Amino acid sequence: MKRALVSVTNKEGIVEFAKGLEELGFEVVSTGGTYKKLLEAGVKAIEIDDVTGFPEILDGRVKTLHPKVHGGILFRRDVEEHVKTVEEMGITPIDLVCCNLYEFEKALKAGKPMAEMIENIDIGGPSMIRSAAKNFKDVLIVTDPKDYDAVLEAIREDKTDFEFRMNLAYKAYSLTGSYDAMISRYFADQVHDEFPDILNISLKKTDHLRYGENSQQSANAYVDPYVQHSLLDYEQLHGKEISFNNVNDLYGAVACVREFGDQLVTVAIKHSTPCGVAIGKTGYESYKRAYEGDPTSIFGGIIAVNYKIDKETALEMKKTFLEIIAAPDFDDDALEVLEKKKNLRLLKLKNLDARDAKYDIKYLEGKALVQELNTKLIDEMKVVTKKQPTEAELSDMEFGLKVVKYVKSNAIVLVKDGCTLAVGGGQTSRIWALENAIHNNPDKDFHGAVLASDAFFPFSDCAQVADEAGIKAIVQPGGSIRDQESIDYCDEHDMTMVFNGYRHFRH
């Protein structure tokens, strides 16, 4: 008779699985709470103590760590010496292991104290799983309740071939690898190691995407389970499936919205670059102003807001072709309006103020760059010119910096009264970014606007072009060895310049 060892924390479907194994001629051995559940359900399970001849001890910390367990799993059936050893020692072969792990992730997300976190670190489970997975040629290792039916069917039809078994082993090692990665990160946080020598990040697939940035590229979406509240947690209320580019653009839009706190703001993104950003006294006013900031580029773009969308705003949004509208909530009549557009994706944002993630990671074909997220905006607003900025200009300077953080470098943002007038980004020269912003918006009046730059001016040319367009207020990080040239130009032309102290490159 074949023997199965069943020991699970997640008991979903375990009774039906164990009964199925019994019907297929398996003897079922079990532990602790699993054993009790199976017994109550009428499964003729054998308690692990009766196999090992040793009781569970230390509050269940030690129950399967025994030669009669691991010997029964690990011996090679095709090695005569192995077979002889287990026979001499009275070890019964174990042909199937069904196991999943203590709920460390659940305890973490519940904010349990360290003592409870420690008790949720599984020892025996990963050991059994790894043993069975190592010997997958002879032992079936089952870790996912979703596989129960397939495993029973394969045994019933005698189709547990090498490939089937190896796939189960692959899933098993993926489980233990992810589990250990989460524990490693927990301890890294406890000892305040922000950049560990070994950074364990395990990702879980959530969605298969239609394609990547381009149709010839395959793509999937993954989630980092260690990040409890993601900025990109949302419920899709309507529209076709989300694409790779949609998610990438959505992140830029929502992250920019987060910069504005309680101010009602609308952010329009096109190809991961803000094309219209505006605050307003109402959501409707905010959206209208953002739209007017660049009514050309917003076509086919993404909208993210931090207010509940009402019918009036929805009717205005409906006039333009948009890929996504993301908001904390929608009025019912607003949904009724927007859902008339079949493909328009409507997303209900869940964690607009989320700050749990701490890494910005770029994976570059086998190399990875890991940095902190750029969470700081201003070090000090230091006026470096004779002319002092007005309160309105200072307000627009801060607004402009919040937007410029999300524009590809070299980046320039032109702002007036809490609304973007023009955005120039992704240029290899800063003066080109400024000239593009101005020349691409010939109908805009830039008199009284503020210029925000993501990095310092190496020359006075940007100050000169701004002055010629009617812009008299500039905010930039400062720090160039030639800062004085720009300061002198501003002083000579009755302009104000403020250094904010932080550079905001985005590559």
Side-chain angles (χ1 to χ4, degrees):
M1 177 180 285
K2 294 198 173 212
R3 174 174 278 188
L5 175 53
V6 179
S7 180
V8 294
T9 299
N10 175 6
K11 296 178 175 56
E12 175 191 349
I14 196 58
V15 169
E16 293 78 10
F17 185 57
K19 285 183 176 179
L21 290 173
E22 276 193 324
E23 290 171 4
L24 291 166
F26 277 79
E27 179 181 60
V28 177
V29 177
S30 193
T31 65
T34 308
Y35 169 75
K36 292 176 184 176
K37 185 175 181 67
L38 296 181
L39 213 61
E40 290 169 0
V43 177
K44 295 175 183 177
I46 300 170
E47 196 165 11
I48 193 69
D49 302 17
D50 295 330
V51 172
T52 63
F54 201 91
E56 294 186 21
I57 62 173
L58 308 179
D59 298 319
R61 281 188 169 201
V62 179
K63 51 194 173 195
T64 58
L65 298 170
H66 195 281
K68 287 199 172 181
V69 173
H70 288 273
I73 296 170
L74 277 167
F75 85 95
R76 289 177 57 182
R77 278 66 167 172
D78 60 347
V79 176
E80 186 177 343
E81 188 177 339
H82 283 205
V83 174
K84 183 179 178 182
T85 298
V86 297
E87 286 176 351
E88 288 175 350
M89 294 191 170
I91 297 174
T92 303
I94 295 172
D95 306 288
L96 182 149
V97 173
C98 177
C99 184
N100 52 57
L101 306 174
Y102 293 171
E103 295 179 315
F104 186 87
E105 181 181 340
K106 184 177 179 181
L108 179 70
K109 292 186 175 179
K112 298 294 185 182
M114 178 177 277
E116 288 190 50
M117 294 304 302
I118 297 298
E119 291 309 310
N120 274 284
I121 297 176
D122 204 331
I123 303 300
S127 299
M128 284 192 297
I129 290 171
R130 290 176 64 84
S131 291
K134 177 174 181 174
N135 208 23
F136 71 89
K137 188 168 67 74
D138 295 316
V139 181
L140 288 164
I141 174 61
V142 187
T143 56
D144 187 346
K146 293 194 291 291
D147 290 333
Y148 290 168
D149 289 343
V151 170
L152 291 174
E153 184 68 18
I155 295 171
R156 188 176 296 114
E157 297 186 5
D158 194 23
K159 291 183 177 178
T160 59
D161 58 15
F162 185 88
E163 185 176 354
F164 181 83
R165 290 167 174 270
M166 188 164 60
N167 267 294
L168 291 176
Y170 152 65
K171 290 188 73 171
Y173 281 124
S174 296
L175 173 65
T176 57
S178 174
Y179 193 76
D180 286 340
M182 184 160 290
I183 294 169
S184 168
R185 289 174 74 180
Y186 172 76
F187 277 99
D189 280 349
Q190 299 310 303
V191 300
H192 308 293
D193 191 355
E194 295 299 319
F195 291 95
D197 290 341
I198 298 175
L199 178 58
N200 287 300
I201 293 181
S202 176
L203 305 176
K204 292 184 179 179
K205 186 163 69 176
T206 56
D207 297 290
H208 175 70
L209 304 175
R210 289 181 298 157
Y211 50 80
E213 282 185 284
N214 301 289
S215 59
Q216 68 270 25
Q217 294 171 272
S218 298
N220 288 275
Y222 289 77
V223 65
D224 181 351
Y226 194 79
V227 176
Q228 298 186 44
H229 301 98
S230 169
L231 189 62
L232 287 184
D233 286 340
Y234 59 79
E235 175 188 359
Q236 184 164 352
L237 304 178
H238 178 72
K240 62 183 179 181
E241 63 182 311
I242 299 289
S243 73
F244 182 99
N245 290 333
N246 289 157
V247 177
N248 190 50
D249 290 350
L250 179 65
Y251 171 71
V254 178
C256 187
V257 165
R258 182 175 58 184
E259 296 284 341
F260 288 86
D262 293 333
Q263 290 179 293
L264 298 182
V265 66
T266 299
V267 175
I269 292 274
K270 186 70 171 290
H271 296 310
S272 77
T273 297
C275 59
V277 182
I279 55 176
K281 294 178 181 177
T282 65
Y284 177 82
E285 180 188 21
S286 170
Y287 172 74
K288 280 285 288 181
R289 299 183 76 217
Y291 172 83
E292 289 162 1
D294 189 345
T296 300
S297 297
I298 199 174
F299 183 86
I302 284 176
I303 297 292
V305 306
N306 59 358
Y307 50 83
K308 188 177 185 180
I309 294 178
D310 58 19
K311 184 177 181 180
E312 182 185 26
T313 309
L315 286 167
E316 197 63 34
M317 290 176 168
K318 186 172 178 287
K319 296 176 182 177
T320 302
F321 167 57
L322 299 170
E323 291 275 2
I324 292 176
I325 299 173
D329 207 352
F330 298 78
D331 282 337
D332 289 343
D333 51 2
L335 280 176
E336 188 177 342
V337 168
L338 295 171
E339 285 175 349
K340 290 178 180 177
K341 289 202 164 188
K342 180 182 177 182
N343 292 326
L344 173 61
R345 299 133 168 127
L346 303 178
L347 308 181
K348 185 175 179 178
L349 301 170
K350 295 182 178 180
N351 302 307
L352 197 45
D353 58 350
R355 296 279 181 185
D356 290 0
K358 63 181 179 181
Y359 294 126
D360 177 17
I361 301 174
K362 298 183 189 297
Y363 187 82
L364 308 171
E365 295 197 31
K367 299 286 186 180
L369 301 176
V370 181
Q371 64 178 348
E372 293 177 312
L373 288 169
N374 183 13
T375 58
K376 296 175 181 176
L377 186 72
I378 296 166
D379 180 30
E380 177 190 3
M381 294 293 270
K382 181 181 178 182
V383 181
V384 294
T385 51
K386 295 174 184 176
K387 185 179 181 182
Q388 298 292 308
T390 66
E391 286 300 316
E393 287 172 335
L394 280 171
S395 179
D396 276 343
M397 286 178 183
E398 184 174 346
F399 180 101
L401 291 172
K402 289 176 179 178
V403 178
V404 86
K405 278 179 67 173
Y406 297 94
V407 178
K408 294 288 186 181
S409 300
N410 289 308
I412 296 289
V413 174
L414 306 180
V415 179
K416 186 175 181 180
D417 299 329
C419 180
T420 54
L421 296 182
V423 176
Q427 298 297 313
T428 52
S429 166
R430 188 158 305 281
I431 189 67
W432 293 348
L434 174 56
E435 288 173 343
N436 281 356
I438 293 171
H439 295 160
N440 289 342
N441 293 273
D443 58 330
K444 297 288 179 66
D445 180 4
F446 294 109
H447 288 84
V450 162
L451 182 159
S453 174
D454 66 339
F456 60 61
F457 293 168
F459 310 104
S460 62
D461 53 358
C462 284
Q464 181 178 345
V465 170
D467 178 38
E468 291 169 356
I471 299 166
K472 293 293 186 178
I474 297 171
V475 61
Q476 54 125 324
S480 169
I481 59 173
R482 302 176 70 167
D483 276 342
Q484 196 60 46
E485 287 185 24
S486 294
I487 295 170
D488 289 345
Y489 184 93
C490 289
D491 281 340
E492 291 166 8
H493 294 83
D494 196 32
M495 299 171 70
T496 182
M497 181 179 286
V498 174
F499 288 175
N500 66 292
Y502 285 136
R503 187 182 73 183
H504 292 297
F505 275 166
R506 191 165 191 250
H507 289 171

